[in-house]
Amino acid sequence: MDEHCAKNDERRNKTMKYGLYSIRDVMIGFQSPWVSLNDGTATRTVRNALNKGDIENSKDLQLFKIGIFDDETAEITQDFKKLCDVEQLREVKDDVL
C-alpha cells in the first residue's frame, strides 16, 4: 500500500460523532434537525442567529439535542436533552451615551 492510501485508511479509522439538534417551538413542535460538532457549537449557532435578529418569537423556543450521528457508520442514536430556552442566549447590549 502506498503512503497516500495508508493516510486515507488512517483518516477513515477516526470516527467522528456529531450532535443532532433541533429547535422546539412550544406552539407548534420541533423544527427540522441539523448537525453540529457539539453542544457548544450548536448553542453558539443559535445565539449568533438570535443576536443578529434572524430568530423571531425566541421566548417560545427551546434548543434540544436529539441524537448523535456517527459519520463512519451513519448510525443515529438517540440522545435527547433540553439544552436551554433560546431567549436565555440573548446578549444584553449596554446603551452607550
Side-chain angles (χ1 to χ4, degrees):
M1 182 181 323
D2 68 13
E3 185 177 325
H4 177 72
C5 290
K7 286 183 181 179
N8 284 338
D9 284 343
E10 193 175 302
R11 279 190 212 119
R12 272 188 236 125
N13 291 331
K14 294 181 181 177
T15 299
M16 287 292 298
K17 294 186 179 182
Y18 299 93
L20 293 173
Y21 300 88
S22 179
I23 299 288
R24 177 178 177 259
D25 184 323
V26 297
M27 304 301 277
I28 59 173
F30 286 91
Q31 298 176 9
S32 298
W34 81 94
V35 176
S36 192
L37 186 61
N38 56 46
D39 294 356
T41 57
T43 301
R44 180 175 57 205
T45 297
V46 174
R47 182 184 64 236
N48 290 344
L50 175 66
N51 291 309
K52 283 182 9 185
D54 294 341
I55 295 178
E56 297 177 7
N57 304 314
S58 60
K59 292 181 181 175
D60 293 336
L61 305 178
Q62 302 166 324
L63 174 59
F64 279 82
K65 182 175 188 179
I66 60 172
I68 299 171
F69 172 72
D70 184 318
D71 75 344
E72 179 70 23
T73 65
E75 180 180 14
I76 296 173
T77 55
Q78 186 173 351
D79 183 14
F80 191 82
K81 64 182 175 181
K82 178 181 170 185
L83 297 181
C84 66
D85 293 320
V86 170
E87 185 61 25
Q88 293 174 323
L89 301 175
R90 185 176 302 281
E91 292 177 357
V92 178
K93 295 183 181 180
D94 295 329
D95 290 333
V96 178
L97 297 178

